[in-house]
Amino acid sequence: MDFSLSDELVELKERTERFVREQILPYESDNRQTAHGPADELRRELVALGRRAGLLSPHVGPEWGGLGLDHRAKEVVFEAAGYSPLGPVALNCFAPDEANMHLLEKVADERQKEEWLRPLAAGEIRSCFMMTEPAPGAGADPSMLQTTARRAGNSTDFVIDGTKWLITGAAGAAFAIIMAKNDSDALGPAGATMFLAPMDAPGIHIERVLDTLDR
Ligand SMILES: Cc1cc2nc3c(=O)[nH]c(=O)nc-3n(C[C@H](O)[C@H](O)[C@H](O)COP(=O)(O)OP(=O)(O)OC[C@H]3O[C@@H](n4cnc5c(N)ncnc54)[C@H](O)[C@@H]3O)c2cc1C
């Protein structure tokens, strides 16, 4: 396999490096940075800079407002963005939103993409990913999931019961991808399944926000 970079990719890499160094690095001392990352106002300001530089959401297809890079090109641009912890924020490719965009682009239906992927790729909303549970629930091993999902009657809606923790960015997220286990039925198989839920769905309750890594 040829791992040499095309001229266009080298240009994009250098443009990303320049952008992060010249426009984003100065924000590292901004007092709107918190122990939980940049405040939303600062995040939006950085996203606006990323958009103006033509670098927003490099991992998402152009039809959703991104650059549509392949895996190899993503690696190059993500590395350049990572020169500052705020670089991936400005490019809208930070965790867990980057992975959630990838997931939605691959498996969501058109209605879900319009409702959730489009604003997420535009940096208008944030999301979170809920897998980890307090012991004896799932952490590294998803087969230990304790959270259950049962179908609400005959519909495509589910009732989810469980407790999650260590969920990055849960406070302020517009939606969550929740991992839960469900039984098989006529409409689908059993096992660990990812559910898309708006964070204002009835029953979602944030108990506490743990302080983890400070700057
Ligand atoms: C800063 C931070 C942010 C996080 N953000 C999120 C988030 O957004 N969403 C989310 O869902 N989670 C999040 N997590 C949780 C993270 O995904 C879990 O901590 C991780 O999956 C490990 O799970 P655990 O802590 O329960 O450890 P455990 O699963 O108990 O693992 C402990 C050790 O046992 C090993 N181990 C576990 N199971 C097996 C096995 N079957 N075979 C062999 N070895 C095994 C592991 O490799 C590890 O060394 C976050 C954690 C941190 C620290």
Side-chain angles (χ1 to χ4, degrees):
M1 191 170 178
D2 180 11
F3 284 103
S4 56
L5 308 186
S6 66
D7 291 346
E8 297 80 49
L9 187 51
V10 170
E11 189 277 327
L12 183 60
K13 171 182 181 285
E14 290 173 354
R15 196 148 56 85
T16 307
E17 286 169 350
R18 259 197 322 277
F19 168 70
V20 172
R21 228 179 15 250
E22 292 168 11
Q23 297 192 49
I24 302 304
L25 218 54
Y27 281 93
E28 286 190 3
S29 52
D30 192 294
N31 62 11
R32 290 168 296 171
Q33 285 244 63
T34 75
H36 293 279
D40 205 52
E41 180 194 279
L42 174 57
R43 183 188 71 81
R44 287 173 184 276
E45 215 169 295
L46 295 169
V47 162
L49 290 173
R51 184 180 298 112
R52 206 168 64 196
L55 294 170
L56 199 66
S57 302
H59 50 292
V60 180
E63 64 273 41
W64 304 106
L67 300 186
L69 300 185
D70 62 19
H71 277 307
R72 203 175 46 151
K74 274 190 247 185
E75 181 273 322
V76 171
V77 173
F78 284 10
E79 184 181 7
Y83 188 66
S84 162
L86 294 177
V89 177
L91 266 62
N92 201 31
C93 62
F94 54 91
D97 293 60
E98 182 269 329
N100 283 348
M101 284 182 237
H102 183 71
L103 176 71
L104 292 181
E105 195 171 10
K106 286 275 178 220
V107 306
D109 64 29
E110 288 308 307
R111 185 187 59 80
Q112 291 167 329
K113 285 181 183 173
E114 280 300 339
E115 188 170 359
W116 301 111
L117 175 58
R118 193 172 294 288
L120 191 61
E124 289 162 9
I125 59 170
R126 286 196 302 97
S127 66
C128 62
F129 186 85
M130 298 186 174
M131 184 179 88
T132 309
E133 301 167 341
D141 182 356
S143 72
M144 293 167 72
L145 275 172
Q146 302 280 305
T147 300
T148 58
R150 62 189 155 79
R151 207 177 280 281
N154 236 357
S155 75
T156 53
D157 290 339
F158 283 80
V159 177
I160 297 175
D161 278 317
T163 304
K164 301 289 185 178
W165 73 354
L166 292 171
I167 307 305
T168 302
F175 73 90
I177 303 294
I178 306 176
M179 283 198 70
K181 61 180 180 187
N182 57 295
D183 293 330
S184 65
D185 64 15
L187 298 174
T193 305
M194 293 189 215
F195 295 88
L196 193 164
M199 282 297 281
D200 60 1
I204 294 188
H205 163 65
I206 297 178
E207 210 168 277
R208 63 183 169 141
V209 177
L210 283 176
D211 282 331
T212 52
L213 303 174
D214 202 340
R215 283 175 293 135

